[in-house]
């Protein structure tokens, strides 16, 4: 037991390892779910201010080269939470969607350019 405990990551390395495992679970989903999770996480990470559930759902429904928003393209907030494997939560009072912990935000700010290059361009 002591040997195993000694090998475990500590501090920020342990958090990075935990987040890497969650990303692997997200990548293991169906392709469409994985892509949706990447878009959700990118919107939250790059946003200059907290987004409400309505704002993120509408943002995700925007289709390139379409002049109008198709209401049928607006995703369900529960689907967004589901594909993000516990990394995203909604504050029930303010309806703000956010990452589950400030360390999650810090982690995605560090990896966002390599994990989802071009996210800002698509947004």
């Amino acid at each position: 037991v002591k040997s195993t405990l000694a090998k475990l990551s500590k501090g920020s390395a342990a958090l990075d390892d935990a987040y890497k495992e969650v990303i692997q679970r997200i990548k293991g989903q169906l392709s469409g779910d994985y892509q949706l999770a990447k878009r959700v996480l990118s919107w939250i990470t790059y946003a200059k201010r907290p987004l409400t559930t309505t704002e993120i759902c509408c943002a995700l429904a925007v289709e390139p080269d379409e002049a109008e928003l198709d209401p049928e393209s607006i995703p369900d907030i529960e689907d967004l939470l589901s594909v993000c494997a516990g990394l995203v939560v909604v504050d029930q009072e303010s309806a703000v969607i956010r990452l589950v912990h400030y360390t999650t935000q810090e982690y995605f700010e560090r990896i966002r350019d390599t994990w989802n290059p071009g996210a800002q361009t698509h947004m």
Side-chain angles (χ1 to χ4, degrees), residues 17 20 28 33 36 56 75 85 97 103 112:
D17 289 345
K20 286 175 187 174
D33 290 346
L36 179 59
I56 197 164
I97 188 166
T103 59
R112 67 185 179 190

Side-chain angles (χ1 to χ4, degrees), residues 19-61:
Y19 290 132
K20 286 175 187 174
E21 285 181 32
V22 175
I23 288 175
Q24 288 305 314
R25 283 200 326 261
I26 291 171
K27 286 181 178 180
Q29 301 178 106
L30 297 173
S31 177
D33 290 346
Y34 170 56
Q35 293 304 320
L36 179 59
K38 280 178 68 170
R39 291 175 63 209
V40 170
L41 293 165
S42 293
W43 269 101
I44 294 171
T45 303
Y46 280 103
K48 300 293 184 193
R49 63 169 178 77
L51 300 172
T52 66
T53 54
T54 301
E55 290 171 328
I56 197 164
C57 287
C58 287
L60 293 168

